[in-house]
Coordinates of all heavy atoms in Angstrom, one line a residue:
T1 N 87.7 76.3 90.4 CA 88.3 76.0 91.7 C 89.5 75.2 91.6 O 90.1 74.8 92.6 CB 87.3 75.2 92.6 OG1 86.9 74.0 91.9 CG2 86.0 76.1 92.8
E2 N 90.0 74.9 90.3 CA 91.2 74.1 90.2 C 92.4 74.7 90.8 O 92.6 75.9 90.7 CB 91.4 73.6 88.8 CG 91.7 74.8 87.8 CD 90.5 75.4 87.2 OE1 89.4 75.2 87.8 OE2 90.6 76.0 86.2
S3 N 93.3 73.9 91.3 CA 94.6 74.4 91.8 C 94.6 75.5 92.9 O 95.4 76.4 93.0 CB 95.5 74.9 90.7 OG 95.7 73.9 89.7
V4 N 93.5 75.4 93.7 CA 93.4 76.4 94.8 C 93.6 75.7 96.1 O 92.8 74.8 96.5 CB 92.0 77.0 94.8 CG1 91.8 78.0 96.0 CG2 91.7 77.8 93.5
A5 N 94.7 76.0 96.8 CA 95.0 75.4 98.1 C 94.1 76.0 99.2 O 93.8 77.2 99.2 CB 96.4 75.7 98.5
A6 N 93.6 75.2 100.0 CA 92.6 75.6 101.1 C 93.4 76.0 102.4 O 94.0 75.1 103.0 CB 91.6 74.5 101.4
P7 N 93.4 77.3 102.8 CA 94.1 77.6 104.0 C 93.4 77.2 105.3 O 94.1 77.1 106.3 CB 94.3 79.2 103.9 CG 93.1 79.6 103.0 CD 92.9 78.4 102.0
Y8 N 92.1 77.1 105.2 CA 91.4 76.6 106.3 C 90.1 76.0 105.8 O 89.7 76.1 104.7 CB 91.1 77.7 107.4 CG 90.4 78.9 106.8 CD1 89.0 79.0 106.6 CD2 91.2 80.1 106.5 CE1 88.5 80.2 106.1 CE2 90.6 81.2 106.0 CZ 89.2 81.3 105.8 OH 88.7 82.4 105.3
E9 N 89.4 75.2 106.7 CA 88.2 74.5 106.3 C 87.0 75.4 106.2 O 86.8 76.3 107.1 CB 87.9 73.4 107.3 CG 86.7 72.5 106.9 CD 86.5 71.3 107.9 OE1 87.4 71.1 108.7 OE2 85.5 70.6 107.8
L10 N 86.2 75.3 105.2 CA 85.1 76.1 105.0 C 83.8 75.4 105.3 O 83.8 74.1 105.3 CB 85.0 76.6 103.5 CG 86.1 77.5 103.0 CD1 85.9 77.7 101.5 CD2 86.0 78.9 103.7
P11 N 82.7 76.1 105.6 CA 81.4 75.4 105.8 C 81.0 74.6 104.6 O 81.4 74.9 103.5 CB 80.4 76.6 106.1 CG 81.3 77.7 106.5 CD 82.6 77.5 105.8
A12 N 80.1 73.7 104.8 CA 79.5 72.9 103.7 C 78.9 73.8 102.6 O 78.2 74.7 102.9 CB 78.5 71.9 104.2
G13 N 79.3 73.5 101.4 CA 78.7 74.3 100.2 C 79.6 75.4 99.8 O 79.5 75.9 98.7
W14 N 80.5 75.9 100.7 CA 81.4 77.0 100.3 C 82.5 76.4 99.4 O 82.9 75.2 99.5 CB 82.0 77.6 101.5 CG 81.1 78.5 102.4 CD1 79.8 78.2 102.7 CD2 81.4 79.7 103.0 NE1 79.3 79.2 103.5 CE2 80.3 80.2 103.7 CE3 82.5 80.6 103.0 CZ2 80.2 81.4 104.4 CZ3 82.5 81.7 103.7 CH2 81.3 82.2 104.4
K15 N 83.1 77.3 98.6 CA 84.2 76.8 97.8 C 85.4 77.9 97.8 O 85.1 79.1 98.0 CB 83.7 76.7 96.3 CG 82.7 75.7 96.1 CD 82.2 75.6 94.6 CE 81.2 74.5 94.4 NZ 80.7 74.5 93.0
W16 N 86.6 77.3 97.6 CA 87.7 78.2 97.4 C 87.9 78.5 96.0 O 87.8 77.6 95.1 CB 89.0 77.6 98.0 CG 89.1 77.5 99.4 CD1 89.0 76.4 100.3 CD2 89.3 78.6 100.3 NE1 89.1 76.8 101.6 CE2 89.3 78.1 101.6 CE3 89.5 80.0 100.1 CZ2 89.6 79.0 102.7 CZ3 89.7 80.8 101.2 CH2 89.7 80.3 102.5
C17 N 88.1 79.8 95.6 CA 88.3 80.1 94.2 C 89.3 81.3 94.2 O 89.9 81.6 95.3 CB 87.0 80.6 93.5 SG 86.2 81.9 94.3
R18 N 89.6 81.9 93.1 CA 90.5 83.0 93.0 C 89.7 84.2 92.7 O 88.6 84.2 92.0 CB 91.6 82.7 92.0 CG 92.4 81.5 92.3 CD 93.5 81.3 91.3 NE 94.2 80.0 91.5 CZ 95.1 79.8 92.4 NH1 95.5 80.8 93.2 NH2 95.7 78.6 92.6
L19 N 90.2 85.4 93.1 CA 89.5 86.6 92.8 C 89.3 86.8 91.3 O 88.2 87.4 90.9 CB 90.3 87.8 93.4 CG 90.2 88.1 94.9 CD1 90.9 89.4 95.3 CD2 88.7 88.2 95.3
G20 N 90.2 86.4 90.5 CA 90.1 86.6 89.1 C 88.9 85.8 88.5 O 88.4 86.0 87.4
D21 N 88.5 84.7 89.3 CA 87.4 83.9 88.8 C 86.0 84.6 89.1 O 85.0 84.3 88.4 CB 87.4 82.5 89.5 CG 88.6 81.8 89.2 OD1 89.2 82.0 88.2 OD2 89.0 80.9 90.1
V22 N 86.0 85.4 90.1 CA 84.7 86.0 90.5 C 84.6 87.5 90.2 O 83.5 88.1 90.4 CB 84.4 85.7 92.0 CG1 84.3 84.3 92.3 CG2 85.4 86.4 92.9
A23 N 85.7 88.2 89.8 CA 85.6 89.6 89.6 C 86.5 90.0 88.4 O 87.4 89.3 88.0 CB 86.1 90.3 90.9
K24 N 86.2 91.1 87.8 CA 87.0 91.7 86.8 C 87.6 93.0 87.2 O 87.0 93.7 88.1 CB 86.3 91.8 85.5 CG 85.0 92.7 85.6 CD 84.3 92.8 84.2 CE 83.1 93.7 84.3 NZ 82.4 93.8 83.0
F25 N 88.8 93.3 86.7 CA 89.5 94.5 87.2 C 89.7 95.5 86.0 O 90.2 95.1 84.9 CB 90.9 94.1 87.7 CG 90.9 92.9 88.6 CD1 91.3 91.7 88.3 CD2 90.4 93.1 89.9 CE1 91.2 90.6 89.2 CE2 90.3 92.1 90.8 CZ 90.7 90.8 90.4
E26 N 89.2 96.7 86.2 CA 89.3 97.7 85.2 C 90.3 98.7 85.6 O 90.3 99.3 86.7 CB 88.0 98.4 85.0 CG 87.9 99.4 83.8 CD 88.0 98.7 82.5 OE1 87.4 97.5 82.4 OE2 88.6 99.2 81.6
R27 N 91.4 98.9 84.8 CA 92.4 99.9 85.1 C 91.9 101.3 84.8 O 91.1 101.6 83.9 CB 93.7 99.6 84.2 CG 94.3 98.3 84.5 CD 95.5 98.1 83.5 NE 96.1 96.8 83.6 CZ 97.1 96.5 84.5 NH1 97.5 97.4 85.4 NH2 97.6 95.3 84.6
G28 N 92.5 102.2 85.6 CA 92.1 103.6 85.4 C 92.8 104.3 84.2 O 93.8 103.7 83.7
I29 N 92.4 105.4 83.9 CA 92.9 106.1 82.7 C 94.3 106.8 83.1 O 94.6 107.0 84.2 CB 92.0 107.2 82.2 CG1 91.8 108.3 83.3 CG2 90.7 106.6 81.8 CD1 91.0 109.5 82.7
T30 N 95.1 107.0 82.1 CA 96.4 107.6 82.3 C 96.4 109.0 81.6 O 95.8 109.1 80.6 CB 97.6 106.7 81.8 OG1 97.4 106.5 80.4 CG2 97.6 105.4 82.6
F31 N 97.2 109.9 82.2 CA 97.3 111.2 81.7 C 98.5 111.9 82.3 O 98.9 111.6 83.4 CB 96.0 112.0 81.9 CG 95.5 112.0 83.4 CD1 96.0 112.9 84.3 CD2 94.6 111.0 83.8 CE1 95.6 112.9 85.6 CE2 94.2 111.0 85.1 CZ 94.7 111.9 86.0
P32 N 99.1 112.9 81.6 CA 100.2 113.6 82.2 C 99.8 114.5 83.4 O 98.6 114.9 83.4 CB 100.8 114.4 81.0 CG 99.6 114.6 80.1 CD 98.8 113.4 80.3
A33 N 100.7 114.8 84.3 CA 100.3 115.7 85.4 C 99.9 117.0 84.9 O 99.0 117.7 85.6 CB 101.6 115.8 86.3
S34 N 100.4 117.5 83.8 CA 100.0 118.8 83.3 C 98.5 118.8 82.8 O 98.0 119.9 82.6 CB 100.9 119.2 82.1 OG 100.8 118.2 81.1

């Protein structure tokens, strides 16, 4: 949760984080149009 600015107040127990902290991103495959 470091260096995360809070845009609004959250309920007790909630935390601000970044999407990269809670999810992973898998890129799709590449191939020629043909």
Side-chain angles (χ1 to χ4, degrees):
T1 58
E2 63 271 22
S3 303
V4 177
Y8 53 83
E9 186 176 351
L10 292 175
W14 288 42
K15 296 179 180 179
W16 286 109
C17 59
R18 300 184 187 278
L19 282 183
D21 299 334
V22 298
K24 58 181 179 180
F25 310 106
E26 187 68 37
R27 296 179 184 274
I29 64 173
T30 58
F31 50 87
S34 59

